[in-house]
């Protein structure tokens, strides 16, 4: 968490958007971090978060990546709102990745994904593109977009 001097220094920059792509899950004090983001953003500013979803997927891959947690949708919504933000969108991403993450991280207890699987994942990119128009009801990650009230 930032002290008031650190918050003031960043606030002076007039930041209007903060993007955290697979960052928040590494921070033990995630609620304090969200509060800091709220305080440093100018009114009307936005945060864009992508975090790993579904705590039941937490396994050896997450541990090796130093993830403190994976998020449930309601948990992320509550934490973002609790920091003072107004949610604009929260949606799951990457439904196809769930099975591979579970097999590798929970069943096989791997620390890294095999290179061949990463190459095969590229074949799934057209499916992920389709998720933009029709978000899945569950996915390996969560996207949240929120605004600080003006």
């Amino acid at each position: 968490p930032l002290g008031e001097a650190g918050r003031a220094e960043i606030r002076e920059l007039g930041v209007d958007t903060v993007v955290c792509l697979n960052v928040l899950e590494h921070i033990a004090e995630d609620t304090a971090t969200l509060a800091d983001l709220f305080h440093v953003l100018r009114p009307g500013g936005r945060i864009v978060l992508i975090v790993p979803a579904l705590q039941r997927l937490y396994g050896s891959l997450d541990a090796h990546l130093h993830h403190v947690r994976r998020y449930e949708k309601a948990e992320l919504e509550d934490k973002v709102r609790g920091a003072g933000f107004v949610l604009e969108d929260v949606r799951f991403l990457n439904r196809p990745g769930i099975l591979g993450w579970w097999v590798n991280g929970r069943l096989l207890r791997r620390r890294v994904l095999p290179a061949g699987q990463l190459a095969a994942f590229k074949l799934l990119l057209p499916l992920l593109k389709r998720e933009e128009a029709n978000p899945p009801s569950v996915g390996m990650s969560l996207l949240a977009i929120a605004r600080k009230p003006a």
Side-chain angles (χ1 to χ4, degrees), residues 9 34 43-44 54 62 68 76 91 94 106 112-113 125:
E9 181 180 342
L34 288 167
L54 307 175
D62 293 286
V68 175
L76 183 62
R91 65 173 68 184
N94 191 3
R106 300 279 300 186
V112 295
L113 292 171
L125 290 178

Side-chain angles (χ1 to χ4, degrees), residues 44-116:
R46 286 187 168 78
I47 59 168
V48 179
L49 307 170
I50 293 182
V51 297
L54 307 175
Q55 184 61 31
R56 65 186 175 273
L57 288 179
Y58 191 96
S60 57
L61 292 168
D62 293 286
H64 183 69
L65 292 168
H66 305 288
H67 290 174
V68 175
R69 74 191 62 75
R70 298 182 72 87
Y71 289 85
E72 298 299 328
K73 187 177 181 188
E75 172 192 13
L76 183 62
E77 290 170 341
D78 289 346
K79 287 182 176 187
V80 171
R81 281 190 189 110
F85 290 101
V86 175
L87 282 167
E88 295 182 343
D89 193 12
V90 179
R91 65 173 68 184
F92 284 104
L93 304 173
N94 191 3
R95 183 182 187 131
I98 293 173
L99 179 62
W101 195 267
W102 183 83
V103 167
N104 285 291
R106 300 279 300 186
L107 188 63
L108 301 176
R109 300 182 192 269
R110 289 184 168 140
R111 293 168 45 100
V112 295
L113 292 171

Side-chain angles (χ1 to χ4, degrees), residues 8 19 36 44 52 70 90 98 103 105 111 115-116 118 121 128 130 145 150:
V19 178
D36 282 340
R70 298 182 72 87
V90 179
I98 293 173
V103 167
R111 293 168 45 100
L118 291 172
F121 179 75
L128 297 179
R130 290 175 36 185
I145 302 170

